[in-house]
Amino acid sequence: MVDHTDLIYFFIVVSGWGFSTFIMGYIGKRITFETAMLYNTFGFAIVAVLTANKADHGLTLDHTFAIMNGASFALADLCYYLMSSRGMSVSTLGPLTSMYVVVPTVLGLGLLHEHISAKKLLGMTLAFVAMYVLAIAEHDDEDHAPKDDEERGRSLPPPSPTRSWTSMLNPFASRPINSERQK
C-alpha cells in the first residue's frame, strides 16, 4: 500500500522538476546564464534556510556527498541554461535531460548491486529510443522553424536589461546579453 505522504512528495517532485525545467528553458533564452545561476542560487538558499534548523551539522563523508550533490545540480543547471540559450526548445530539452534517470540506475546496479529486471531494462531502452527520436525531431524543427518572433505571429516579453540594481552583486552583469537573445 502506498503512503499518502509519499504520493504528495511524488507530486511535488514531479511538478517541481517539471515546472523548474520549463522555467529554466524559458529564462535561458531571456537572461544570461550567469544571471540565471545567481538567482537560481537564491532559490536554493531560501529552501536551505527554511530547513536548516533540522539539519545534521558536521562534515562526514555523507555531508561531503551532499556538497558534491549540490555542485552536481549547479553544474547541470548551468549546462541546461547554456543549451537553452543556444536555442534548444523547452519541449525537447526537458525530455532529453530527463535521461539523467539512467545514471542512478546504472550506479545502483554497479555500486549498490541492485537487481535489474527485464522491465527496467526495457524502460531504459525505450527511453534511449525516445531520446533519439526527440533529437531528430529537434533537428527537423530547426530546419522548418520560423526565424524570429514576427514570423511566429506572436511576441515574447522583451529580454531583461543587461544592467540592473543587482549588477554590483553579479560580476558578469556588465557583459552584454547575447545579441541573438535581443532579437
Side-chain angles (χ1 to χ4, degrees):
M1 185 172 167
V2 177
D3 184 348
H4 292 295
T5 303
D6 289 339
L7 287 175
I8 292 169
Y9 289 157
F10 175 78
F11 175 76
I12 292 170
V13 167
V14 170
S15 60
W17 281 345
F19 181 73
S20 177
T21 298
F22 171 77
I23 292 297
M24 288 171 60
Y26 175 77
I27 65 174
K29 292 175 177 51
R30 312 302 301 162
I31 59 178
T32 64
F33 66 90
E34 297 95 345
T35 303
M37 286 300 296
L38 175 68
Y39 285 88
N40 195 30
T41 302
F42 289 158
F44 278 114
I46 290 169
V47 174
V49 166
L50 294 175
T51 60
N53 65 333
K54 296 191 184 232
D56 173 23
H57 302 282
L59 190 57
T60 65
L61 182 60
D62 291 336
H63 292 94
T64 304
F65 282 141
I67 292 168
M68 290 170 46
N69 184 52
S72 177
F73 267 113
L75 182 60
D77 286 353
L78 173 64
C79 291
Y80 191 100
Y81 286 129
L82 289 170
M83 288 188 296
S84 175
S85 71
R86 294 171 57 88
M88 186 175 274
S89 70
V90 174
S91 61
T92 301
L93 187 57
L96 286 180
T97 57
S98 293
M99 291 301 300
Y100 73 87
V101 297
V102 173
V103 174
T105 303
V106 170
L107 290 175
L109 294 170
L111 299 178
L112 303 177
H113 308 290
E114 294 178 351
H115 175 72
I116 185 164
S117 65
K119 288 180 183 177
K120 284 182 183 178
L121 193 57
L122 176 64
M124 286 191 297
T125 302
L126 291 174
F128 278 114
V129 170
M131 180 179 70
Y132 177 74
V133 170
L134 283 168
I136 291 172
E138 179 74 12
H139 180 70
D140 290 345
D141 288 347
E142 288 174 1
D143 293 341
H144 299 95
K147 301 300 181 220
D148 58 26
D149 293 334
E150 289 178 22
E151 282 187 44
R152 289 185 190 105
R154 61 187 170 96
S155 63
L156 294 171
S160 298
T162 305
R163 310 259 321 147
S164 69
W165 64 271
T166 59
S167 63
M168 290 185 288
L169 300 175
N170 185 353
F172 300 106
S174 61
R175 291 183 16 187
I177 292 178
N178 184 333
S179 62
E180 293 173 4
R181 285 184 265 171
Q182 289 179 336
K183 292 180 181 178

